[in-house]
Amino acid sequence: MLDTRSKSQDPLVSIIIPVYNKAAFVRETLDSALVQTYLNTEIILVDDGSTDGSFEILQEYYQKHPDKIVLIDQENQGVSAATNKGIQAARGEYIQFLDADDLLSSDKIANQIKLLAGQSESAIASCEWKIFNDTPKQAQSMFYGVFQNFNSGLDLLLRFWNYQEMMQPAGYLTHRSLIEKAGPWDESLTINQDGEFFNRVLLHTDKVVYDSEGKVFYRTPGEFNVSQQKTEKAMTSLLESYRCYEKDVLKFEDSPRVRIALKKVYQKFIYDVFPQYPHLIKATESHIKNLGISQKTYIGGPKFQTLSKFLGFKNALRLKRFFNN
């Protein structure tokens, strides 16, 4: 049986960009999508009830490129609902997610399409992401171990969890079939929606192929960015996203290595919220206990890990917070 990719030399790639009040940045983002050297793309813009003039900018680009851009306007429902709307409208064989203030290098999609050629539909492509503030020319590299090939999506997830690393969602190029297997973005979550979604995608992924040339430029989040929120509501949602990790991954593989990695996910949650929200910390400690892992695990930087080994995790946190205040 021939691989389905052999039927299409230049498969359509749908670039999905949800937009909410990004007037200051969205032009630069759209330009980075439009100058891709890979030509067979469509851009799905979903304005999520912007009030800062973003929609007018999107209309301007749509009028200039009506053959390239699909423009959708909806009342504010959140990034997950906007992204799901974009997926529904997309016609591409591959999906490229892109936040409305981030950028792609011009060769990103072309490189990843080449890497995926001949692979099964269960392969996903990734690339390096760099963080920047004003200009991508000054972007800083993240020295992460995720920037390599992986034999499975689960192996990449375990790298995330064991070393507290991440992949910016725009770094992936994903076949539509993986998206369909994973299901929609969870519209009940208010934070880490992308992490929870790609957790499900990667559990269905047989191979991760890494593009060493293409880049994603991730703009430093502002204080009002949803990913920077540490309200009780946001932290409750973050913990729920981690509970989703546990539920889904243990269906796929229930093993000591997975449970150890999950323990570190929960430890990182406590590390991030301590000493706020004692009820959430208590619930997280209960989740850790239920994992049944007696092995000592350590997270954070080398200094914090050393403190944890001598003082214990909670005492190390208390000391860290004392000196940070």
Side-chain angles (χ1 to χ4, degrees):
M1 180 177 176
L2 291 176
D3 191 297
T4 56
R5 290 182 187 163
S6 65
K7 300 175 184 177
S8 176
Q9 295 300 314
D10 296 306
L12 178 65
V13 175
S14 298
I15 306 173
I16 298 175
I17 308 177
V19 182
Y20 178 69
N21 288 351
K22 296 294 184 182
F25 309 119
V26 72
R27 289 182 185 276
E28 196 174 1
T29 297
L30 289 172
D31 288 341
S32 82
L34 286 166
V35 299
Q36 290 296 302
T37 57
Y38 187 80
L39 300 180
N40 194 20
T41 63
E42 63 173 5
I43 301 173
I44 312 295
L45 302 176
V46 185
D47 186 80
D48 189 38
S50 294
T51 58
D52 69 340
S54 292
F55 183 66
E56 288 71 22
I57 295 172
L58 303 185
Q59 285 182 310
E60 173 190 329
Y61 274 78
Y62 170 70
Q63 290 167 2
K64 289 180 180 177
H65 307 279
D67 58 334
K68 194 80 167 175
I69 292 176
V70 175
L71 177 56
I72 300 169
D73 184 22
Q74 67 176 30
E75 294 182 0
N76 181 252
Q77 299 176 46
V79 65
S80 292
T83 303
N84 285 334
K85 185 66 69 69
I87 293 171
Q88 292 168 10
R91 298 179 296 112
E93 184 177 342
Y94 292 91
I95 302 294
Q96 166 71 61
F97 296 108
L98 181 60
D99 287 345
D101 53 358
D102 296 336
L103 309 174
L104 305 176
S105 66
S106 61
D107 60 346
K108 192 267 187 187
I109 292 176
N111 292 347
Q112 292 184 327
I113 285 290
K114 288 179 182 177
L115 283 175
L116 290 170
Q119 301 283 352
S120 79
E121 292 181 355
S122 295
I124 194 172
S126 68
C127 72
E128 180 184 4
W129 60 275
K130 307 176 81 170
I131 194 165
F132 78 104
N133 188 2
D134 296 322
T135 170
K137 292 181 180 179
Q138 299 174 346
Q140 298 179 350
S141 295
M142 309 296 290
F143 297 102
Y144 282 174
V146 298
F147 301 141
Q148 59 177 306
N149 295 329
F150 287 88
N151 292 327
S152 71
L154 178 59
D155 286 343
L156 176 54
L157 286 172
L158 294 179
R159 176 73 200 193
F160 291 157
W161 300 344
N162 282 317
Y163 296 92
Q164 296 84 60
E165 297 179 353
M166 60 168 282
M167 178 64 69
Q168 212 284 335
Y172 298 112
L173 187 64
T174 312
H175 195 275
R176 174 181 287 277
S177 64
L178 282 174
I179 304 282
E180 292 170 348
K181 289 176 182 177
W185 286 50
D186 188 337
E187 297 180 17
S188 71
L189 297 175
T190 60
I191 193 170
N192 197 36
Q193 306 97 322
D194 50 1
E196 191 278 330
F197 172 75
F198 271 102
N199 176 70
R200 287 181 275 127
V201 169
L202 289 170
L203 287 176
H204 292 285
T205 298
D206 292 341
K207 181 188 292 186
V208 182
V209 291
Y210 177 69
D211 163 28
S212 62
E213 299 297 325
K215 301 288 184 291
V216 169
F217 299 97
Y218 174 55
R219 196 179 299 272
T220 306
E223 61 178 312
F224 298 111
N225 185 287
V226 67
S227 67
Q228 299 301 102
Q229 295 178 13
K230 290 199 173 180
T231 64
E232 182 176 356
K233 179 181 178 182
M235 292 300 96
T236 300
S237 184
L238 181 61
L239 180 56
E240 177 58 26
S241 75
Y242 294 161
R243 291 286 288 153
C244 291
Y245 287 4
E246 179 183 347
K247 177 188 67 176
D248 291 331
V249 72
L250 290 180
K251 291 178 183 177
F252 185 84
E253 180 184 309
D254 190 344
S255 66
R257 70 167 186 159
V258 169
R259 287 178 176 261
I260 288 169
L262 287 169
K263 181 180 178 182
K264 292 183 179 182
V265 171
Y266 286 131
Q267 283 182 297
K268 180 61 164 59
F269 178 83
I270 295 174
Y271 180 97
D272 287 340
V273 304
F274 186 88
Q276 298 185 78
Y277 316 127
H279 64 294
L280 294 179
I281 292 174
K282 184 177 180 179
T284 306
E285 289 172 336
S286 177
H287 300 327
I288 291 174
K289 183 178 180 181
N290 290 337
L291 287 171
I293 297 298
S294 59
Q295 176 180 325
K296 295 288 186 182
T297 55
Y298 303 97
I299 65 163
K303 291 182 179 179
F304 183 79
Q305 290 194 27
T306 299
L307 282 175
S308 296
K309 290 174 183 178
F310 284 99
L311 302 178
F313 180 55
K314 294 286 279 293
N315 286 331
L317 275 175
R318 292 186 182 100
L319 190 63
K320 179 180 176 64
R321 295 296 183 264
F322 176 79
F323 283 106
N324 286 347
N325 289 334

